[in-house]
Amino acid sequence: MAIVRAESHTAGGGRRLALHSPVTGLPIGAVDVDDSAEVARVVTRARAAQPAWAARSVGERAVLLRGAIDVISARRAEIAETIRTETGKPMAEALGVEIVPACDFLNYWSRRARRDLRAHRQRLHGYLRPFKQLYIQYQPLGVVGVITPWNAPFVLTLNPVVQALLAGNTVVFKPSEVTPRSGEWVARVLHEAGVPEDVVQVLHGDGETGAALVDSEIDKVCFTGSVATGRRIASACAERFLPCTLELGGKDAMIVCADADLERAAAGAVYLSMFNTGQVCMSVERIYVIDSVADEFIDLVVRKASAVSCGPGDADMGPLFWDRQRDLVAEHVADAEAAGAEILVGGSVVPGEGLYFQPTVIVGAHHGMRIVNEETFGPIATIVRVRDEDEAIRLANDSRYGLSGSVFTKDRARARRIAARLTTGSVVHNDAAVIYGVPEAPFGGRKDSGVGQVNGVHALRGYVHAQPVLIDRWQPERESIWYPYTDKTIRDLDGLIRAFGNRLIRRLLS
């Protein structure tokens, strides 16, 4: 079995993780693990650098970060090669899943930053309006710790890091130990664009390093990864009242209505469950198809999945990124088959050194199977027949996850009606997964899929404290309800309450 990670020790007694290619199983380097002492030193440097970074105008920070687009464009071949070396992704996915959206995020957030972070006056309602003016100004939190996953190591690191930096924070981030160099490119790109070195720093290591970062003197945690690790981080943050954003796992459902364009729906079912080898938190993992069109839909899915090429080079589908994930996918498929599901396409590990798993189509699955209940994170299209849309909605909601979902129908109004009944963070019509790449859309999960949201109109404000400042419009000779209380105080307050009952006064006070 190919091993993606093996541990040894440095001459100084530190831990070192050896990396192996998921394509060949051969060594591709090693990374030294940063211990808790190094984490503390890095965070201290970030703390010292933060005031000067925050003192720069939002516009100045935005210009610097937007310049990273030019760096990425110039270095795209090197970045893509690093990503492909560590993950085995086809070039189309290294570019389309990682680099294109990274550039788009940089462009979008750098343009929005001035507007979203500008101090502004907020109009008051009611009886205080004649006396007070309210201003909202935004203060950086300080040092933000970001911990990112291995499935999209460049873009899923860059997006939160850039948001936090634009808001005036310094950032310490730890990419996954499975893809450390791909994540490290984010710091390299930003430094080359002119962001000072101590303003954005990278740590390397596994869960121990991540835990040390969470426990260090930071002011917010942004984590993308597994539910189990997310729970531990949430518990640690709760002990310190530390704000956190947790983007966790998913088991996204796709509903295929009777009026769907079945050709598109079938193509979507295959691609959206298998691109990035199915290792996407918004990947389609459950497909509920109305029984009246199920036969035709399944025939189309089988035909399209059978045509997906899998292997090294620029095949349609690359390997799974580490051996633990391949083992889990195989376990889920074996469990489904043993419980009565039928495998129509694939279903097996591809023999050889690489971590390849065949594109797979499964029918006859039900909610008693692991492949329907647990996050699989592999190239599996699991299809379930349902009587009608009501049953599809009920089963889609029958999950401890609630990250995203999709509805395939020709009727846009139907799509919105179904979406309103789905207990999930987001819903996409005739597509899926793309929602994370829409920065205007708040993205986050419900239930076990996470806490908080990234992206959306309030994304940058998730990295600041909104500080209200109440200013006197004019100074009265005496406040009406300050000491000493008198009979007049009571009469004035009683009159104010009676005024609320007067319709005309209510309109004036609103």
Side-chain angles (χ1 to χ4, degrees):
M1 179 183 296
I3 298 173
V4 177
R5 187 185 70 176
E7 185 173 324
S8 61
H9 289 85
T10 65
R15 296 166 58 223
R16 174 172 292 159
L17 302 178
L19 307 173
H20 292 72
S21 168
V23 175
T24 65
L26 297 175
I28 55 172
V31 60
D32 291 345
V33 173
D34 290 313
D35 61 15
S36 58
E38 178 61 18
V39 171
R41 284 190 288 270
V42 167
V43 171
T44 297
R45 291 199 298 270
R47 178 75 61 196
Q50 193 273 329
W53 178 248
R56 301 189 188 211
S57 70
V58 176
E60 185 180 355
R61 296 196 296 263
V63 167
L64 271 179
L65 289 166
R66 196 179 189 286
I69 299 174
D70 295 332
V71 179
I72 292 174
S73 178
R75 307 291 291 272
R76 64 188 183 277
E78 299 168 81
I79 298 170
E81 182 58 29
T82 302
I83 294 169
R84 297 188 71 201
T85 297
E86 291 189 328
T87 68
K89 292 186 186 189
M91 179 62 81
E93 291 178 357
L95 297 175
V97 174
E98 302 268 12
I99 295 177
V100 169
C103 292
D104 188 56
F105 282 136
L106 278 163
N107 185 53
Y108 180 80
W109 297 123
S110 61
R111 283 191 294 107
R112 279 208 67 96
R114 291 180 183 86
R115 182 189 328 169
D116 291 349
L117 299 173
R118 181 186 296 123
H120 60 91
R121 181 177 167 183
Q122 183 72 42
R123 185 176 183 269
L124 292 177
H125 85 291
Y127 68 96
L128 286 178
R129 190 168 68 198
F131 308 103
K132 305 289 184 181
Q133 291 178 331
L134 176 63
Y135 293 87
I136 309 294
Q137 53 199 32
Y138 299 100
Q139 299 176 325
L141 297 177
V143 181
V144 175
V146 178
I147 302 173
T148 56
W150 44 262
N151 58 321
F154 183 69
V155 69
L156 292 184
T157 300
L158 181 135
N159 191 33
V161 167
V162 165
Q163 292 179 33
L165 290 174
L166 282 167
N169 305 283
T170 51
V171 176
V172 177
F173 72 90
K174 189 198 85 68
S176 168
E177 68 273 25
V178 179
T179 51
R181 304 307 179 197
S182 300
E184 187 181 68
W185 264 110
V186 171
R188 295 174 64 183
V189 162
L190 293 173
H191 292 157
E192 192 168 329
V195 177
E197 289 200 3
D198 284 352
V199 168
V200 57
Q201 300 175 79
V202 59
L203 293 166
H204 287 304
D206 52 14
E208 289 185 18
T209 306
L213 179 58
V214 171
D215 290 338
S216 69
E217 293 301 315
I218 57 176
D219 300 290
K220 179 175 180 174
V221 175
C222 180
F223 171 76
T224 304
S226 72
V227 174
T229 302
R231 287 190 191 281
R232 290 193 292 271
I233 290 174
S235 179
C237 289
E239 287 290 327
R240 299 166 52 199
F241 300 117
L242 191 67
C244 62
T245 300
L246 307 174
E247 198 272 278
L248 308 178
K251 193 71 182 176
D252 288 4
M254 169 180 170
I255 295 175
V256 182
C257 298
D259 71 333
D261 178 340
L262 295 184
E263 188 73 32
R264 177 176 176 82
V270 172
Y271 178 75
L272 297 167
S273 62
M274 299 182 187
F275 86 99
N276 214 51
T277 326
Q279 298 165 120
V280 181
C281 55
M282 304 89 68
S283 174
V284 168
E285 294 220 3
R286 299 175 291 151
I287 303 166
Y288 299 104
V289 56
I290 305 301
D291 190 63
S292 61
V293 297
D295 288 340
E296 182 180 356
F297 173 77
I298 291 169
D299 286 345
L300 287 167
V301 169
V302 167
R303 188 185 318 156
K304 294 177 185 298
S306 299
V308 175
S309 60
C310 174
D314 282 321
D316 295 324
M317 201 174 78
L320 293 159
F321 300 168
W322 65 331
D323 50 345
R324 294 184 190 178
Q325 195 58 42
R326 184 181 66 173
D327 293 347
L328 179 64
V329 173
E331 288 172 12
H332 281 198
V333 172
D335 173 79
E337 188 173 26
E342 184 180 0
I343 299 174
L344 301 183
V345 178
S348 301
V349 169
V350 177
E353 290 298 324
L355 300 177
Y356 294 95
F357 197 95
Q358 296 172 331
T360 298
V361 178
I362 294 176
V363 296
H366 57 73
H367 279 235
M369 299 176 180
R370 294 179 66 190
I371 205 161
V372 177
N373 289 322
E374 301 176 17
E375 187 174 30
T376 303
F377 230 52
I380 316 297
T382 301
I383 303 173
V384 179
R385 293 173 180 261
V386 293
R387 291 186 305 275
D388 52 28
E389 291 170 8
D390 286 341
E391 185 180 21
I393 293 166
R394 179 179 64 80
L395 291 175
N397 286 334
D398 182 20
S399 174
R400 65 190 182 99
Y401 297 100
L403 188 55
S404 190
S406 57
V407 181
F408 280 70
T409 172
K410 293 176 183 175
D411 185 339
R412 287 180 288 180
R414 174 181 282 113
R416 293 185 65 183
R417 287 196 303 270
I418 292 174
R421 296 173 62 190
L422 294 175
T423 311
T424 187
S426 57
V427 178
V428 182
H429 178 218
N430 291 340
D431 203 342
V434 68
I435 191 70
Y436 183 86
V438 180
E440 295 88 347
F443 180 81
R446 301 181 67 179
K447 299 187 278 190
D448 278 6
S449 287
V451 174
Q453 294 175 314
V454 298
N455 298 344
V457 295
H458 299 297
L460 295 173
R461 293 180 184 173
Y463 292 97
V464 295
H465 171 71
Q467 183 190 57
V469 180
L470 200 60
I471 302 295
D472 270 345
R473 295 186 68 177
W474 54 277
Q475 186 69 57
E477 290 184 11
R478 189 180 82 84
E479 290 289 343
S480 60
I481 60 169
W482 285 13
Y483 296 140
Y485 296 148
T486 66
D487 290 343
K488 184 178 183 303
T489 304
I490 303 303
R491 290 196 301 271
D492 288 347
L493 292 172
D494 189 61
L496 181 60
I497 294 168
R498 284 186 282 107
F500 277 112
N502 183 300
R503 194 172 302 170
L504 174 61
I505 297 297
R506 284 204 304 270
R507 283 201 297 270
L508 293 174
L509 293 177
S510 64

